[in-house]
Amino acid sequence: MSPRRTDTGGRIDRLKTIRFTFDGAPYTGHAGDTLASALLAKGVTLYGRSFKYHRPRGLLTAGVEEPNALVTVLKGEVREPNIPATMVEIHDGLVAISQNRFPSLAWDINAVNQLGGKVLSAGFYYKTFMGPVFGPLKGTRFWMFCEHFIRRAAGLGSAGSAKDPARYERMNAFCDVLVVGSGPAGLMAAKAAADQGARVMLADLEPRFGGSANWSDETIDGAPAADWARRIVAQLEGRDNVRLLPRTTVWGYYDNNTLAALERVSDHKEQPGKGEPRHRYWAIRAKSVVLATGAFERPLVFPGNDRPGVMLAHAAERYANEFGVLPGERIALFTNNDSAYRAAVALKKAGAAVVAIADVRPELSPEMRKLAAEAEAEIFAGHAVVATEGGKALSGLKLQRFDMTNGALIGDARSIHADCLLMSGGWSPTIHLASQAGAKAEWNAARQAFLPPKPTQQWIGAGAFTGSFSTTEAIAEGRAAGLAAAGGQSTPAVLPVVEAVPGDPDPAPVFEIRAKGKSFVDFQHDVTAEDVRLAHREGFVSVEHLKRYTTLGMATDQGKSSNVPGLAIMAEALGKPIPEVGTTRFRPPFAPVSIGSLAAERFGDLKPERLTPMHDWHLANGATMYSAGLWYRPMIYGHAGETVEQAYVREAKATRESAGIVDVSTLGKIAVQGPDAAAFLDRVYTNMFSTLAVGKARYGLMLREDGLAFDDGTTWRLGEQDFLMTTTTANAGKVMQHLEYFLDVIWPELKVHVTSVTDEWAGAAIGGPKARQILAACVTGTAVDNATLPFMGIVRGEIAGVPVMICRLSFSGEMAFEVYSGAGHGTHVWEALVEAGKPFGLVTYGLEALGTMRIEKGHVTGAEIDGRTTARDLHLDWMLSKKKPFIGSAMMDREGLIASDRLELVGLISLDNKPLNGGAHIVEEVDEANPHGSIGHITACCYSPALGKHIALALVKGGKARQGTRAHVSDPLRNRFGPIEIVSNHFFDPDGSRMHG
Amino acid sequence: MMAEYSAFSLLANALKGNRDWKPAWRKPDPKASYDVIIIGGGGHGLATAYYLAKEHGITNVAVLEKGWLGSGNVGRNTTAVRSNYLLPANTRFYEHSMKLWENLSHELNYNVMFSQRGCLNLAHTPAQFDDYARRGNAMRHLGVDAELMTPAQIKRLIPALDISDSARFPVVGGLMQRRAGTARHDAVAWGYARGADRRGVDIIENCEVTGFLRDGDRITGVSTSRGDIRAKKVAVAVAGSTGRVMQLAGIDTMPIESHVLQAFVTESLKPFIDTVVTFGMGHFYMSQSDKGGLIYGGDIDGYNSYAQRGNLPVVDEVMSEMLALFPGLARVRMLRSWGGVCDMSMDGSPIITAGPLPGMYLNCGWCYGGFKATPASGWCFAWTIAKDQPHDLNAPFTLDRFHRGLVIDDKGQGANPRLH
Amino acid sequence: MLITCPYCGPRDVIEFTYQGDGNRERPDPASQNFEAWNAYVYDRLNPAGDHNEIWQHSGGCRAHLKVVRNTLTHEISSVVFTRGDHGRGDHGSAARGKAEDKS
């Protein structure tokens, strides 16, 4: 006697056989089966192990709320853990395994935890494992020792490290009406809205639209409900203004009616179709939303309610009517409400024997008695189930007379032989999305349920979601909601006629049967009714404390079935009504969401890559690339057998001896144009730009509003009202926003336009004693001699037929020029320069040599302008104009910014001739064993070919006054200690004679 | 005195059906007056009460909480505890916190599950590696543990991490603080509450402060939803609600913005990662709880908010960064998300000070680093309240430091809370 | 969250950069009132409720917008250009009509 497939009925295709494996064993099922229904049809009763006690567990539900039957789906090396078997559609080749068991599902060694019994009560771990206060296990050690084993015992499925080869995609969608849920209410809403001409999206997390119509015995307009649903769906399918989204879970309700949904596009297929993603993430902006999300049935809490074979009543109805599977041959029911009687009839019709209906209510309506008779079931009114029997499958149960006014059990228990027990503890509307949208649910005493709050965003509820549990109501409310959502007038219409199974929607207020034995509230997390009472005893009585202390509702099912029973038990312990205990606010997601879908196209492609126009040339010519923010830049152009240091020393040396060329296209470039451009720059920079002559450039420094250094760069005056600003590579975006902010918000009266032109210009800096000769050899249309092109002068000309702009400025300290051309011509110009330089020994150099030469010169970059330094700290106070206010000028002299112990820029020379390390600290006295007394740190360092020494730039407390003194580097991280001399940051050619030429 | 928690008491109680356990803290009605009122029953407020009682013998103390105890950020964070800061004022303070953490379970007789599983900051460029070296060396010079790790060492520690060269941002190394780790966040609030309660502190839940009682400038108590309560000293430790509470005292502006920070947890998994790990090219950080959920988060949403709810752009960004480091997690599922309201200060560092009004004491500006600070924050705040002057450790964390240019800006972002 | 840019229409928050408190008054550039400067740079109203704030449509037209948004509900009650009458004003009011048509 066990579960089995029925010969007829259900919406599966018995002609299509599908082969899959579960825990390595081969199984077959039919098209339309879930993993749960297929296994149940084969008599499988054991599906998983619970989290704490590792108790054997069967199927509790048939849907998304399943807490017990979690499996891992394997696709080769790629693992998908913790998927409810009720949500896995089988396909040929599906490989699923059970979880949280060792060595096997049937024989799990950790089931020994059950012997821990009351010691492992809620929150027990807060009270122990602290360990001894002295000895080798003091502090956190003992806990960490215990934790090691706890962690291995905890957890459900395993994640893998193999990269998922699947594709995920994101869709942004807009619609007039989004209908969530496709039961009778949702279908009516979608149809009514679509009839109004609205753009409608209809989403349902199940593969089949229809919701309860798929498993109800009711008829609508004379046809079986499922046929009616199919007809409506067919009508919707044909419409241009309707998009149907099956297998789509709407999981998040965000601000401004933005909803997030997950469509499982190809999980149910052996191979995804061509171009099909695995999951599609929908971000839907809906003008209006119809929430027709139905309701979840609640379990009853009684001893042994977790035994495999104990199932929710409607789940059994679903298995029988939707999947053609009987969950047992001899079925008993236990209920506090009328809805379970429907299930009794359905299972009887499908071929099972319904041996007993235990109802906590002493009085039953004639309609229910009639249904029970139809099911040929014996009624036990005023009775409760007090125990279940069996191991990995149910074998029987015990009934006892029950007084629902006081919860008392009366008389002797009687045993009933059954292989399946169905329970129904009433229904909780699925209000999650409404709660996410920002309002608080309201308790309805008649329904014994939290009903949706008043809308705070644009949504309308319909059907069981609102607590209207009958199909007739669902149809009427659905239509009204659809009309209203589409902005249509409510007109009288002939609604589909439902031949409904009768039933009172209000359950008896009974949640728990208190008898001896473990009664589970949260099945997955093994939270029992006693745990809830313990939380009460210890003062964890607010609903959030209850959840956090006992972990009730924190499992993968998010308490969909356990929240209300848990609250009810706490309310009883407190002697308060349920709403006074409170309800938790639901947060996204409604059901777990694959992380791959949320990353979507950015999975494997996190950030764009920025490449300079000459990128390919660099790669073709031996450059090793360096990632700088989003950019890639040449680090060195290494020769065979060279180390990085050898390469950059060679490049820097050659540049200082003859000439070198470097790609500077990544520098931020901003066109600042308009009648007030010069005045604007005077406000933005610490120094004057209105005095700059056309055709000249000037080095400028910007401060932040708080008076600290922000960014530096040269700005070229191309015309009276036309400036080209350059910024550091790293700050290009920030400076642009800074300028735009001031123009748009602070000084809208200024007539200035700023445009980011970073990507429009390719830049090459060519420097060295022979740089001018090289230019002279390839530039046409202008002279480049000292008179035509003086220091900081700008000329326009051509190189290899391409117009270029040349500014004579220097970062390397050499006679140097920056050559800008249109980005599209960048490589052409670069190649021409390299060619022209060949006779002069021109080298290409990368960031390392660039950095080396700038350190030798003592120029600052982002390592020194680090958001904490002032112009004075960097010896740039000569740039602070006293003639005008500028951004930061009012704030730059505050006491903290002019203190004498600030970190100031200095140079360092290694006195032991060994390399220095970036990030090393400076101390007056070395203490290798106990490093202390840091007075600063190295910001940049290199071997200086010009000096023949290892040098560094550093920020040192009161650094200026320390010049000429000795100190030590202290780098305990890399065990590097040694003497240094503190010197000026201008190591090389301090008076600039080389660049002035 | 309540029963001590231990393996023995656990067993003894189990044998009696767990019927004799007593409430972890009392639920007293407020008295008419106290020596000290602490507004805010979060981690910091409760820790302050505990240390006032324990270190300074001040037990006539009430902690007022408008909702349920620990309902703010102490129960909404990603549980990381570390002291790996760059600037000495921060490092010293957080290291003091770390030392308190290391003995906290014993001290409170409550297992807060502080587990020193390490915190690893991944570096993705040589320049970033140097930055981390600067920070690590700064820590070492203050006696705090720190070490650099190579990619190979990192791969051994976190096998699921993608350290390949083909990664968009390859891992070039990392900064590891081994003494860092995680703790069970709720337990910290409950442990301090129980500890304070056992020393006589009244913890009063569902008691919202609606105004301040004043004698001229001086604060002399508070009006609450449960009546007026007088006190010699009133301490404010309300994190994200700082602006609202200070406005009740007539102080309209503060160097604080309230921003929402989202956090996420996956379904429970078998052990996947042992340490806390952070991504250097974004804002992603992650650890795994003892229950098995991966707990992770990213940047704040980036606009003023008191809503405890975030929006999708940050969700998408965090998940994308997560998969850049752990491509095997694409099929793992996000189970829960939530939002906490962070009191973002203008330099990213906190404020623990007497004032700004006579009789008032202020603790705020925790940005998203408040959880790990809980012990030291309470300890220093208690000191400041008891002695009417700051301890050396919190002396730099004044309210007037912003105006005076004495900011403690670990990230160097200036007065832009969105970027700290 | 959607912000209705007066130029571009309703757009997702991801296209915008938050530029903070719009209540702050920047002193005259030459002002020596350091308290005013300090207040401008560091002090915030940070209200729980309607908040005047500046957003830049950085992923769109790059205009700065003065937005009134409720910090408790994230509801936006007003969006206008910060430039007011300077330059974009006319353009903006025409665009507002267009945006309404679209929504």
Side-chain angles (χ1 to χ4, degrees):
Chain A
M1 303 260 267
S2 69
R4 63 172 172 83
R5 181 81 69 186
T6 58
D7 296 334
T8 57
R11 278 160 245 306
I12 45 145
D13 183 351
R14 284 182 176 72
L15 297 178
K16 278 194 194 142
T17 298
I18 288 169
R19 288 164 212 288
F20 65 97
T21 70
F22 179 61
D23 274 345
Y27 286 93
T28 59
H30 295 301
D33 262 328
T34 63
L35 180 60
S37 69
L39 288 173
L40 192 64
K42 296 294 177 188
V44 173
T45 56
L46 179 61
Y47 289 77
R49 291 276 171 172
S50 64
F51 189 82
K52 186 155 89 175
Y53 299 126
H54 289 250
R55 287 168 73 98
R57 291 283 164 79
L59 293 168
L60 178 70
T61 76
V64 68
E65 74 273 36
E66 175 60 35
N68 291 337
L70 303 185
V71 300
T72 297
V73 175
L74 299 177
K75 289 264 155 86
E77 294 278 287
V78 179
R79 308 175 69 92
E80 186 182 19
N82 302 341
I83 309 301
T86 51
M87 295 300 286
V88 178
E89 291 174 68
I90 57 167
H91 58 74
D92 279 322
L94 172 74
V95 179
I97 55 172
S98 61
Q99 319 183 136
N100 197 30
R101 78 289 185 265
F102 181 83
S104 76
L105 187 57
W107 304 104
D108 179 3
I109 203 163
N110 277 316
V112 71
N113 287 357
Q114 291 176 59
L115 301 177
K118 292 201 157 67
V119 175
L120 305 187
S121 56
F124 75 95
Y125 29 77
Y126 300 125
K127 296 172 183 155
T128 184
F129 300 128
M130 276 87 85
V133 290
F134 52 81
L137 289 179
K138 72 176 169 64
T140 58
R141 289 222 180 125
F142 182 75
W143 162 242
M144 288 178 67
F145 174 77
C146 301
E147 190 189 30
H148 176 82
F149 299 99
I150 292 171
R151 284 171 83 88
R152 267 142 196 82
L156 295 166
S158 299
S161 53
K163 189 183 171 185
D164 184 359
R167 208 169 64 72
Y168 295 86
E169 74 181 29
R170 172 179 169 133
M171 290 283 272
N172 285 294
F174 303 83
C175 65
D176 297 317
V177 181
L178 168 66
V179 180
V180 188
S182 71
L187 289 178
M188 284 302 291
K191 187 170 179 312
D195 286 345
Q196 293 291 311
R199 289 173 305 162
V200 175
M201 294 178 80
L202 173 63
D204 197 296
L205 53 78
E206 295 281 348
R208 265 185 294 268
F209 286 118
S212 62
N214 283 321
W215 43 267
S216 120
D217 275 333
E218 295 171 338
T219 66
I220 303 178
D221 280 347
D227 294 350
W228 172 84
R230 254 205 307 270
R231 208 169 62 232
I232 303 284
V233 172
Q235 287 170 18
L236 293 172
E237 265 168 354
R239 309 194 55 149
D240 290 342
N241 58 336
V242 177
R243 187 193 280 274
L244 298 179
L245 294 173
R247 301 185 177 87
T248 301
T249 310
V250 179
W251 58 262
Y253 202 137
Y254 289 89
D255 288 332
N256 299 105
N257 256 29
T258 301
L259 289 96
L262 173 74
E263 181 186 2
R264 300 181 305 282
V265 181
S266 58
D267 274 348
H268 61 294
K269 299 179 181 175
E270 193 176 0
Q271 289 294 333
K274 192 166 155 47
E276 249 179 8
R278 182 169 100 91
H279 288 172
R280 186 177 288 132
Y281 162 28
W282 289 86
I284 303 168
R285 278 96 187 173
K287 255 192 197 168
S288 177
V289 177
V290 174
L291 294 175
T293 47
F296 286 120
E297 192 171 22
R298 302 191 291 245
L300 286 161
V301 180
F302 57 91
N305 61 343
D306 70 323
R307 198 166 314 277
V310 183
M311 184 183 284
L312 291 173
H314 91 282
E317 202 178 347
R318 264 194 88 174
Y319 283 118
N321 282 350
E322 195 172 346
F323 299 101
V325 179
L326 284 180
E329 295 275 15
R330 287 178 58 84
I331 296 178
L333 273 89
F334 180 28
T335 184
N336 69 357
N337 71 91
D338 284 359
S339 71
Y341 289 77
R342 258 183 358 222
V345 174
L347 288 156
K348 174 68 191 169
K349 275 191 198 160
V354 180
V355 295
I357 299 178
D359 196 316
V360 296
R361 300 171 296 182
E363 304 293 334
L364 300 178
S365 67
E367 289 91 347
M368 292 308 111
R369 291 194 174 276
K370 193 162 157 265
L371 289 177
E374 208 178 314
E376 296 175 26
E378 187 179 348
I379 293 185
F380 295 87
H383 274 70
V385 176
V386 294
T388 63
E389 289 156 359
K392 287 152 198 155
L394 188 78
S395 60
L397 51 96
K398 286 202 165 82
L399 285 183
Q400 209 171 347
R401 186 164 282 285
F402 175 73
D403 182 349
M404 66 177 242
T405 58
N406 59 11
L409 293 162
I410 304 145
D412 292 334
R414 63 183 285 175
S415 293
I416 288 185
H417 175 55
D419 59 1
C420 178
L421 171 62
L422 309 184
M423 56 182 167
S424 179
W427 294 78
S428 296
T430 310
I431 57 174
H432 300 64
L433 291 175
S435 171
Q436 286 180 27
K440 213 174 150 195
E442 288 151 17
W443 179 254
N444 181 296
R447 291 283 189 282
Q448 292 285 298
F450 285 101
L451 298 190
K454 276 198 193 59
T456 48
Q457 296 203 41
Q458 279 67 52
W459 60 260
I460 304 168
F465 164 85
T466 67
S468 303
F469 293 146
S470 78
T471 308
T472 310
E473 290 167 296
I475 282 176
E477 288 185 13
R479 177 172 179 274
L483 272 176
Q489 295 296 319
S490 179
T491 50
V494 182
L495 292 174
V497 177
V498 181
E499 190 198 322
V501 181
D504 181 347
D506 296 336
V510 172
F511 293 89
E512 185 199 0
I513 310 303
R514 289 183 73 167
K516 195 172 153 40
K518 276 199 167 76
S519 305
F520 287 86
V521 183
D522 184 317
F523 287 74
Q524 190 181 123
H525 268 172
D526 284 335
V527 179
T528 64
E530 267 316 305
D531 287 326
V532 176
R533 279 186 277 276
L534 176 61
H536 167 251
R537 231 167 273 143
E538 298 196 81
F540 296 94
V541 295
S542 92
V543 59
E544 282 292 338
H545 282 160
L546 168 64
K547 275 175 61 179
R548 287 154 187 263
Y549 192 64
T550 65
T551 74
L552 172 80
M554 308 286 268
T556 61
D557 60 312
Q558 293 271 51
K560 290 186 176 71
S561 50
S562 61
N563 269 338
V564 172
L567 272 178
I569 293 166
M570 177 58 82
E572 199 203 328
L574 282 166
K576 284 182 178 175
I578 287 173
E580 283 185 32
V581 183
T583 177
T584 57
R585 187 163 144 190
F586 293 104
R587 298 183 184 283
F590 163 71
V593 183
S594 66
I595 291 164
S597 75
L598 293 167
E601 282 88 351
R602 292 181 67 196
F603 177 33
D605 189 15
L606 180 63
K607 294 266 170 81
E609 298 183 331
R610 296 188 78 181
L611 309 177
T612 76
M614 291 83 99
H615 184 80
D616 291 343
W617 191 95
H618 302 317
L619 292 183
N621 287 274
T624 303
M625 302 305 281
Y626 178 105
S627 150
L630 300 180
W631 288 104
Y632 288 92
R633 306 181 69 180
M635 177 170 75
I636 51 165
Y637 298 83
H639 292 174
E642 264 183 345
T643 64
V644 171
E645 185 181 295
Q646 285 165 343
Y648 81 72
V649 166
R650 172 180 53 73
E651 291 171 5
K653 202 158 176 257
T655 302
R656 295 221 189 278
E657 281 169 6
S658 49
I661 184 168
V662 61
D663 184 351
V664 294
S665 305
T666 62
L667 288 179
K669 294 174 279 290
I670 300 169
V672 182
Q673 295 161 316
D676 295 324
F680 176 57
L681 291 177
D682 279 350
R683 300 187 193 184
V684 166
Y685 279 120
T686 63
N687 45 340
M688 297 294 276
F689 276 79
S690 52
T691 54
L692 184 65
V694 173
K696 294 282 276 183
R698 183 168 285 168
Y699 174 61
L701 175 71
M702 292 181 202
L703 305 186
R704 297 190 309 220
E705 285 275 36
D706 63 1
L708 278 91
F710 176 35
D711 197 59
D712 66 345
T714 57
T715 285
W716 313 4
R717 190 162 202 172
L718 304 178
E720 199 55 42
Q721 302 183 6
D722 184 6
F723 292 81
L724 179 66
M725 173 188 285
T726 66
T727 75
T728 58
T729 299
N731 278 339
K734 269 178 148 178
V735 170
M736 181 69 191
Q737 282 198 312
H738 179 75
L739 301 181
E740 287 175 319
Y741 179 85
F742 276 92
L743 285 173
D744 235 15
V745 180
I746 309 290
W747 302 312
E749 71 281 4
L750 289 185
K751 291 186 165 53
V752 180
H753 202 86
V754 290
T755 314
S756 169
V757 293
T758 302
D759 295 330
E760 272 64 35
W761 294 99
I766 181 164
K770 299 194 175 151
R772 199 203 304 264
Q773 286 166 270
I774 296 169
L775 279 191
C778 64
V779 173
T780 58
T782 178
V784 294
D785 61 303
N786 204 41
T788 320
L789 188 50
F791 186 62
M792 289 295 187
I794 302 164
V795 295
R796 288 172 193 271
E798 287 190 354
I799 292 180
V802 171
V804 296
M805 202 158 55
I806 304 171
C807 181
R808 184 177 148 199
L809 53 82
S810 178
F811 193 56
S812 59
E814 297 300 317
M815 162 83 67
F817 306 85
E818 283 186 10
V819 179
Y820 280 5
S821 63
H825 299 298
T827 305
H828 183 74
V829 170
W830 174 272
E831 282 176 340
L833 284 164
V834 169
E835 193 58 35
K838 271 188 182 155
F840 302 93
L842 177 75
V843 295
T844 49
Y845 67 91
L847 276 187
E848 288 289 332
L850 180 80
T852 297
M853 289 187 278
R854 78 101 182 169
I855 294 170
E856 291 174 338
K857 283 298 293 177
H859 291 315
V860 294
T861 67
E864 294 81 27
I865 305 183
D866 66 355
R868 286 173 289 261
T869 47
T870 66
R872 285 188 193 83
D873 298 339
L874 304 173
H875 315 308
L876 297 174
D877 30 336
W878 60 274
M879 298 182 71
L880 305 174
S881 170
K882 294 191 174 61
K883 296 183 194 140
K884 53 148 196 175
F886 49 85
I887 294 171
S889 60
M891 300 291 273
M892 68 184 184
D893 294 327
R894 291 176 295 152
E895 67 173 277
L897 303 189
I898 54 172
S900 61
D901 63 346
R902 289 187 61 83
L903 295 173
E904 292 171 350
L905 180 65
V906 296
L908 304 179
I909 295 172
S910 167
L911 295 179
D912 60 7
N913 252 343
K914 289 185 191 153
L916 302 169
N917 293 324
H921 277 238
I922 316 299
V923 293
E924 287 171 340
E925 298 292 340
V926 167
D927 183 346
E928 296 191 18
N930 180 26
H932 64 276
S934 166
I935 56 168
H937 64 275
I938 290 177
T939 58
C941 55
C942 66
Y943 174 76
S944 163
L947 278 70
K949 292 172 179 167
H950 291 282
I951 63 170
L953 293 176
L955 289 166
V956 172
K957 267 183 200 167
K960 201 163 188 183
R962 293 179 193 262
Q963 285 183 17
T965 68
R966 291 191 171 194
H968 294 82
V969 285
S970 178
D971 185 6
L973 289 178
R974 289 161 291 197
N975 202 28
R976 163 79 173 103
F977 304 89
I980 45 152
E981 184 180 359
I982 298 177
V983 297
S984 156
N985 54 311
H986 302 295
F987 291 96
F988 180 72
D989 188 29
D991 59 3
S993 57
R994 292 175 72 93
M995 65 182 182
H996 289 103
Chain B
M1 182 62 79
M2 221 173 285
E4 291 288 323
Y5 290 159
S6 66
F8 175 76
S9 71
L10 206 55
L11 189 62
N13 271 284
L15 291 174
K16 291 189 271 181
N18 285 325
R19 282 176 205 292
D20 291 346
W21 289 114
K22 295 288 179 294
W25 61 88
R26 297 165 297 130
K27 312 251 177 216
D29 289 321
K31 296 193 283 194
S33 75
Y34 290 92
D35 289 341
V36 178
I37 283 175
I38 297 165
I39 306 174
H44 292 220
L46 293 165
T48 304
Y50 172 80
Y51 290 114
L52 271 175
K54 175 173 178 265
E55 302 287 336
H56 305 283
I58 300 173
T59 57
N60 186 22
V61 175
V63 178
L64 308 184
E65 167 55 48
K66 78 172 171 194
W68 43 279
L69 183 148
S71 53
N73 293 339
V74 72
R76 292 171 187 278
N77 60 78
T78 45
T79 79
V81 172
R82 57 186 175 85
S83 58
N84 56 357
Y85 278 76
L86 175 69
L87 301 177
N90 278 328
T91 312
R92 284 197 188 99
F93 173 82
Y94 285 103
E95 178 59 15
H96 181 66
S97 213
M98 179 71 80
K99 294 215 167 81
L100 292 169
W101 276 110
E102 284 173 330
N103 197 39
L104 196 59
S105 292
H106 287 300
E107 166 151 11
L108 298 176
N109 179 233
Y110 204 89
N111 187 0
V112 300
M113 303 185 198
F114 178 45
S115 177
Q116 295 179 291
R117 44 190 60 261
C119 175
L120 175 67
N121 305 123
L122 297 173
H124 304 272
T125 66
Q128 188 171 42
F129 191 69
D130 282 354
D131 257 5
Y132 286 174
R134 175 189 172 190
R135 174 143 62 105
N137 276 324
M139 293 160 64
R140 291 288 290 270
H141 283 82
L142 292 170
V144 179
D145 74 302
E147 60 194 88
L148 295 173
M149 293 183 79
T150 64
Q153 290 170 320
I154 290 169
K155 184 73 182 171
R156 274 199 297 280
L157 186 71
I158 311 176
L161 185 71
D162 180 9
I163 62 153
S164 63
D165 287 340
S166 61
R168 175 67 181 88
F169 299 107
V171 173
V172 303
L175 175 65
M176 175 69 150
Q177 185 183 22
R178 296 212 184 257
R179 286 165 60 245
T182 57
R184 169 84 183 108
H185 57 8
D186 289 323
V188 176
W190 301 339
Y192 273 120
R194 177 169 167 268
D197 177 87
R198 284 160 58 131
R199 284 175 168 78
V201 171
D202 282 357
I203 295 165
I204 302 163
E205 293 175 82
N206 302 309
C207 179
E208 181 170 5
V209 171
T210 55
F212 285 87
L213 306 176
R214 315 179 67 137
D215 179 6
D217 252 5
R218 173 165 286 277
I219 299 292
T220 58
V222 292
S223 306
T224 77
S225 53
R226 297 175 68 172
D228 286 359
I229 312 173
R230 305 212 156 258
K232 292 178 191 136
K233 301 181 176 186
V234 175
V236 179
V238 296
S241 298
T242 299
R244 282 200 270 193
V245 171
M246 295 306 280
Q247 272 152 22
L248 296 176
I251 295 169
D252 287 337
T253 61
M254 291 285 295
I256 298 277
E257 282 183 7
S258 296
H259 283 249
V260 64
L261 175 67
Q262 300 189 64
F264 309 90
V265 63
T266 67
E267 297 175 328
S268 196
L269 300 167
K270 290 293 175 195
F272 180 79
I273 178 175
D274 264 344
T275 59
V276 182
V277 65
T278 76
F279 179 43
M281 296 305 281
H283 292 270
F284 175 77
Y285 44 89
M286 181 170 93
S287 63
Q288 187 170 19
S289 76
D290 286 345
K291 226 169 76 185
L294 298 173
I295 298 179
Y296 58 105
D299 201 1
I300 52 178
D301 266 39
Y303 43 79
N304 287 48
S305 176
Y306 287 92
Q308 290 191 341
R309 47 185 269 140
N311 273 299
L312 281 171
V314 167
V315 179
D316 307 345
E317 178 65 32
V318 169
M319 307 295 156
S320 302
E321 293 184 11
M322 181 178 195
L323 294 190
L325 291 181
F326 298 101
L329 291 177
R331 292 187 184 221
V332 166
R333 305 191 300 167
M334 186 254 283
L335 173 64
R336 254 196 321 276
S337 70
W338 62 94
V341 178
C342 300
D343 39 337
M344 303 299 295
S345 73
M346 292 294 144
D347 61 359
S349 297
I351 296 160
I352 309 176
T353 186
L357 297 173
M360 183 188 247
Y361 303 79
L362 179 62
N363 173 319
C364 63
W366 293 101
C367 302
Y368 34 76
F371 177 65
K372 61 183 173 290
T374 305
S377 169
W379 194 93
C380 289
F381 200 30
W383 176 291
T384 307
I385 295 164
K387 300 189 187 286
D388 273 310
Q389 61 181 35
H391 187 270
D392 282 351
L393 285 168
N394 65 306
F397 299 132
T398 61
L399 181 59
D400 66 1
R401 71 174 184 271
F402 302 99
H403 291 194
R404 294 170 63 196
L406 295 166
V407 293
I408 304 161
D409 190 347
D410 234 76
K411 287 201 180 151
Q413 294 290 1
N416 196 344
R418 173 168 73 82
L419 301 177
H420 284 295
Chain C
M1 201 153 80
L2 295 177
I3 298 176
T4 302
C5 172
Y7 188 69
C8 306
R11 292 290 188 273
D12 193 89
V13 66
I14 198 168
E15 293 186 12
F16 296 84
T17 304
Y18 186 57
Q19 295 288 18
D21 188 339
N23 299 296
R24 298 175 302 139
E25 223 20 74
R26 192 176 197 268
D28 180 83
S31 166
Q32 294 295 301
N33 180 347
F34 294 111
E35 270 317 297
W37 277 108
N38 272 321
Y40 165 66
V41 175
Y42 290 112
D43 298 342
R44 304 286 193 270
L45 278 176
N46 195 27
D50 278 349
H51 186 219
N52 299 315
E53 52 198 28
I54 311 287
W55 291 77
Q56 185 189 16
H57 194 188
S58 46
C61 63
R62 292 193 77 86
H64 286 79
L65 310 173
K66 214 174 245 176
V67 174
V68 181
R69 189 181 56 94
N70 189 304
T71 57
L72 291 164
T73 63
H74 298 168
E75 223 167 293
I76 291 171
S77 48
S78 147
V79 185
V80 295
F81 289 122
T82 54
R83 292 184 72 83
D85 296 333
H86 296 279
R88 283 211 186 100
D90 305 338
H91 203 142
S93 53
R96 263 195 295 279
K98 198 173 81 187
E100 274 161 20
D101 292 344
K102 267 198 250 168
S103 60

